[in-house]
Amino acid sequence: QSHSGDASALLGVVSNLKTSNLTNNSNNSYNSQIVEDAEGYLHVFWDEIIGYDSNVLERVQQPDGTWSVPVSLALGWLPQITPGPDGTLHLVYMSVSPTRKVYYMAKDLKGDWSAPINISGDASYDGLARERIAVDGTGMVHVVLCDDEGNLIYIAKPQDGDWADPLTLFTNATYARIAAGPDGTIHLVWISGVNVFYASRVAGSDWGEPFELPLISAFNISLVLDPAGNIYIAYVENVSYNMAYIWKTP
């Protein structure tokens, strides 16, 4: 059977895809993340039940295509990973029950992973909090999540400094997402009810007043900032369940 037009183009894309089973065991794997470091190594993270505990695991693909063996980094789940401007990888994850807290680890290009440290304090968070992480152009690390009571929590540290205490920015919030620009500007979106709100902070200043984004009723969102400073927000429409997105130029 011949194919033409879009079908032909799609067939060509599919025929060039390659798959690789990175876990290859009987355990269930969840919440995958993938990132390329400054030297071209691919790092894949996920959580997996091993025995009775959830583990955060990593595998690394070398430039020649070979993969390292899986390494358990910590007991936990919901890993989130992002690279910094100096090549450091920054990882946050949530510890397992009964007291779920947010932990942070880091790895520079030539070093090993640092020991996990609790950055969320004494509070315990529901799994739906789903922490998110971003690193700006100065190397400052920013983490957001929503606690069990709907408070939007913000935690940050300078590149060579210590973590600040968790700060409540807004209330009645879920699905918080964050992006950081090279100039240190932070962009934040979240859902309140079914409405989507946006706020930002220029480096060295206070957070601006939040405002509701128009014409959106959503129950899941994602946020990305491109190198030109354009902001893109993808979301699932609350009624139609269609995927949609909006964008904003600088």
Side-chain angles (χ1 to χ4, degrees), residues 191-212:
I191 293 176
S192 182
V194 295
N195 302 312
V196 179
F197 285 79
Y198 168 87
S200 64
R201 193 194 75 179
V202 177
S205 66
D206 295 329
W207 285 92
E209 286 295 319
F211 62 88
E212 181 181 345

Side-chain angles (χ1 to χ4, degrees), residues 21-205:
N21 188 334
L22 298 181
T23 54
N24 197 29
N25 58 41
S26 59
N27 300 326
N28 291 331
S29 303
Y30 305 95
N31 303 307
S32 60
Q33 294 274 294
I34 187 169
V35 67
E36 183 181 47
D37 68 26
E39 294 185 334
Y41 291 79
L42 281 180
H43 300 254
V44 175
F45 303 82
W46 71 97
D47 56 62
E48 182 176 306
I49 302 296
I50 301 177
Y52 297 98
D53 296 313
S54 180
N55 287 247
V56 174
L57 293 104
E58 177 193 26
R59 289 192 77 174
V60 182
Q61 187 189 51
Q62 316 297 318
D64 63 4
T66 60
W67 286 91
S68 67
V69 298
V71 174
S72 177
L73 300 179
L75 294 180
W77 65 320
L78 301 175
Q80 294 287 308
I81 184 75
T82 192
D86 62 350
T88 298
L89 296 181
H90 302 268
L91 172 70
V92 288
Y93 65 92
M94 191 163 294
S95 63
V96 295
S97 299
T99 56
R100 292 172 174 161
K101 304 179 187 303
V102 178
Y103 281 77
Y104 167 83
M105 302 172 66
K107 178 185 181 300
D108 62 32
L109 284 174
K110 301 300 183 182
D112 298 322
W113 285 100
S114 64
I117 60 171
N118 173 8
I119 65 172
S120 59
D122 296 331
S124 181
Y125 297 94
D126 187 275
L128 294 177
R130 189 95 195 206
E131 73 289 350
R132 300 287 172 163
I133 187 170
V135 181
D136 66 31
T138 70
M140 189 166 185
V141 186
H142 310 264
V143 176
V144 293
L145 70 157
C146 299
D147 69 14
D148 298 354
E149 298 178 352
N151 298 307
L152 198 163
I153 308 298
Y154 170 74
I155 319 167
K157 71 174 290 294
Q159 184 172 25
D160 297 317
D162 297 324
W163 285 95
D165 292 333
L167 175 66
T168 298
L169 294 181
F170 308 105
T171 58
N172 192 28
T174 59
Y175 290 106
R177 305 291 186 258
I178 192 169
D183 61 352
T185 299
I186 307 304
H187 305 270
L188 182 63
V189 295
W190 68 96
I191 293 176
S192 182
V194 295
N195 302 312
V196 179
F197 285 79
Y198 168 87
S200 64
R201 193 194 75 179
V202 177
S205 66

